[in-house]
Amino acid sequence: MLIKDKEKYVGTLIALWNKVFGDDEEYIKLFFKEAYFDGECFAEISGGKVVSAFYLLKCSIKYQGKIYRGRYLYAAATLPEYRGLGLMGKLIKEAQDYIKSEGLDFIALVPAGDSLYDYYGKFGYKESMYKYRLGINKEYATLRAFGEITDPLEFHRIRSSADSDMLVYNDICNKYAFECLNYTGVRVFSLSEDAYYARGEELFCSDKETALKLINNLSGESVVYTNCDIGEAEKIRNGMIFSSDDNLFFNDIYMNIALD
């Protein structure tokens, strides 16, 4: 069901998250501070505790010159002793009915493992999102010449300004994504007005030509993920989309900074 009294269930939702994912409490509370109250939570409750749940976070997709509104399905979890009962499938269907009733266009998600592509496929999700994996053979270079991005609004501005077909979080969800990067020690550097580098995570820029110039300044990682098809970059699947309209199919949507 869709949780209405969101404050009431925070404690048991944190317990579920910790049990299933094993994250420390400080990291978990970051989500409930930054993003929980802005989205929706679907949960199955038994004996007063949440036994299965996920969150829908606000986002949009830029696709072929249009903007589509939807949700990002995040942190799907079921307690081990309640698995195999169809609880998660029930919640997924409820969420799909919900976005249709709200006039939204899609739900996007990033499966936690390859086997889950088949699982979500049973509910109408299609492989639609990708990123490029690029091996780098460069001698060590420094990023000292570039300024570090400390304001999530600047991070959001660069991502939102790109014209490519991609998933974009709303400002609240984007701030949470940025805080998650910081929490895990990932520093983000501004490379230009429309490009940044999240160290070890992503090179994001507007076009291939710019990316080829900037790649020389990366700092020694052997692999970087990017939104541009550069040289020997390998295109890999990185997510699925359920469309509320059977006649609307999203294809080749860029997605990298996943909340997982």
Side-chain angles (χ1 to χ4, degrees), residues 129-133 201-202 225-228 233-239 253-258 260:
M129 298 194 293
Y130 72 95
K131 59 184 177 182
Y132 287 102
R133 182 182 188 273
E201 293 287 335
E202 179 186 38
Y225 292 99
T226 177
N227 61 314
C228 295
E234 175 190 7
K235 186 176 182 179
I236 58 177
R237 64 182 184 179
N238 195 43
I253 302 298
Y254 174 67
M255 170 61 165
N256 184 41
I257 299 296
D260 52 20

Side-chain angles (χ1 to χ4, degrees), residues 25-225:
E25 191 168 321
E26 184 180 356
Y27 179 78
I28 298 170
K29 286 183 176 179
L30 179 64
F31 168 74
F32 288 90
K33 174 186 175 184
E34 299 289 351
Y36 172 62
F37 291 98
D38 184 57
E40 296 89 17
C41 175
F42 283 80
E44 185 72 21
I45 301 166
S46 177
K49 71 177 181 180
V50 176
V51 299
S52 184
F54 58 72
Y55 310 92
L56 296 183
L57 305 181
K58 296 174 183 176
C59 62
S60 60
I61 285 177
K62 295 181 178 181
Y63 186 59
Q64 296 183 349
K66 296 182 179 180
I67 303 293
Y68 297 90
R69 298 183 306 125
R71 295 292 187 267
Y72 179 84
L73 193 157
Y74 178 53
T78 302
L79 289 175
E81 60 269 31
Y82 285 88
R83 292 172 187 168
L85 303 178
L87 301 182
M88 184 57 66
K90 174 186 173 185
L91 293 176
I92 290 172
K93 291 176 181 177
E94 288 178 0
Q96 291 174 175
D97 290 339
Y98 171 77
I99 68 157
K100 291 178 180 179
S101 70
E102 293 294 306
L104 299 171
D105 300 304
F106 69 90
I107 301 176
L109 59 83
V110 176
D114 286 342
S115 64
L116 290 176
Y117 277 86
D118 289 337
Y119 174 75
Y120 288 114
K122 296 176 183 178
F123 299 98
Y125 285 83
K126 307 293 184 184
E127 289 184 27
S128 309
M129 298 194 293
Y130 72 95
K131 59 184 177 182
Y132 287 102
R133 182 182 188 273
L134 177 65
I136 304 172
N137 293 312
K138 302 286 181 184
E139 294 183 0
Y140 183 82
T142 181
L143 281 168
R144 288 179 196 163
F146 301 105
E148 184 173 355
I149 296 177
T150 58
D151 184 354
L153 290 177
E154 176 64 7
F155 179 71
H156 185 52
R157 182 196 66 76
I158 296 174
R159 289 191 69 83
S160 301
S161 64
D163 292 329
S164 55
D165 295 341
M166 61 180 290
L167 184 142
V168 181
Y169 301 130
N170 78 337
D171 55 350
I172 292 175
C173 189
N174 178 84
K175 183 175 185 293
Y176 171 59
F178 186 80
E179 295 293 342
C180 286
L181 290 174
N182 285 343
Y183 186 90
T184 55
V186 176
R187 299 171 67 192
V188 184
F189 297 88
S190 174
L191 304 183
S192 70
E193 282 295 310
D194 56 5
Y196 67 78
Y197 177 51
R199 193 165 224 162
E201 293 287 335
E202 179 186 38
L203 168 67
F204 183 89
C205 60
S206 58
D207 59 83
K208 183 191 300 187
E209 288 71 23
T210 303
L212 285 169
K213 295 177 182 178
L214 295 172
I215 207 79
N216 293 312
N217 296 301
L218 295 186
S219 59
E221 283 85 358
S222 60
V223 170
V224 66
Y225 292 99

Side-chain angles (χ1 to χ4, degrees), residues 223-249:
V223 170
V224 66
Y225 292 99
T226 177
N227 61 314
C228 295
D229 181 8
I230 308 171
E232 300 298 320
E234 175 190 7
K235 186 176 182 179
I236 58 177
R237 64 182 184 179
N238 195 43
M240 308 179 79
I241 297 174
F242 168 82
S243 174
S244 59
D245 182 349
D246 292 337
N247 295 315
L248 175 62
F249 178 70

Side-chain angles (χ1 to χ4, degrees), residues 1-16:
M1 68 177 184
L2 175 64
I3 297 296
K4 300 293 187 182
D5 188 353
K6 298 179 77 173
E7 185 70 48
K8 176 180 178 180
Y9 292 99
V10 167
T12 184
L13 285 166
I14 289 175
L16 170 66

